[in-house]
């Protein structure tokens, strides 16, 4: 039986230990909290201090940075990036290759399309079709 963790050295020489999540085999850093029912696919990373709620999905190649929160049943599509301390509301969907900036807030149920970018500190809400609502 193979080991259930991976050590990765950062550019500054610090080593972080990641464990493989039982549901999807994605890499979860020590200090992150991921609900057992969440899916974190292989090739996805969840950094220290991040929290992934029940039923959420973090797809292949996605990256959830430190102290970010992903609400229940939210979906972070392939190769998307959720910045430091960002909040993704319950049932929200972040599209393929989309970037959510640091401390950004995505509303409950928001639909963010593919290849979009949300600025640092920006708050975003959408209607059911994914069109952004005025703030």
């Amino acid at each position: 039986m193979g080991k259930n963790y991976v050590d990765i050295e950062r550019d500054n020489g610090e080593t972080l230990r990641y464990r493989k999540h039982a549901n999807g085999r994605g890499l979860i850093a020590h200090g992150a909290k991921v609900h057992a029912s969440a899916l974190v696919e292989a090739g996805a990373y969840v950094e220290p201090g991040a929290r992934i709620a029940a039923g959420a999905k973090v797809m292949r190649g996605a990256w959830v940075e430190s102290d970010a929160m992903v609400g229940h049943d939210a979906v972070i599509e392939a190769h998307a990036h959720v910045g430091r301390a960002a909040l993704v509301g319950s049932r929200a969907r972040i599209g393929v290759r989309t970037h959510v900036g640091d401390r950004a807030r995505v509303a409950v149920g928001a639909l963010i399309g593919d290849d979009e970018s949300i600025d640092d500190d920006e708050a975003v809400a959408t209607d059911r079709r994914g069109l952004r609502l005025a703030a």
Side-chain angles (χ1 to χ4, degrees):
M1 183 168 171
K3 65 183 181 178
N4 201 30
Y5 65 89
V6 175
D7 289 328
I8 297 177
E9 185 174 343
R10 290 184 166 181
D11 292 338
N12 65 3
E14 176 187 18
T15 299
L16 284 177
R17 177 162 284 182
Y18 294 83
R19 64 182 165 78
K20 295 177 184 176
H21 188 53
N23 191 12
R25 308 298 286 167
L27 296 177
I28 312 300
H30 180 73
K33 294 187 186 281
V34 178
H35 194 275
S37 70
L39 171 68
V40 180
E41 286 191 346
Y45 288 85
V46 178
E47 299 295 345
R51 291 180 293 199
I52 311 294
K57 295 178 182 173
V58 180
M59 307 311 276
R60 183 176 303 276
W63 179 25
V64 179
E65 286 203 55
S66 298
D67 302 318
M69 291 178 49
V70 177
H72 72 81
D73 298 321
V75 177
I76 310 300
E77 291 288 356
H79 307 289
H81 175 230
V82 177
R84 297 176 76 81
L87 303 174
V88 177
S90 299
R91 298 179 311 281
R93 179 191 173 272
I94 305 299
V96 176
R97 294 177 305 278
T98 290
H99 174 79
V100 177
D102 294 348
R103 301 167 308 282
R105 295 169 314 283
V106 177
V108 170
L111 301 174
I112 309 301
D114 297 344
D115 299 307
E116 290 196 33
S117 184
I118 297 172
D119 294 331
D120 292 351
D121 301 304
E122 184 177 0
V124 177
T126 68
D127 65 12
R128 289 186 290 172
R129 296 171 295 171
L131 298 173
R132 290 192 188 198
L133 301 173

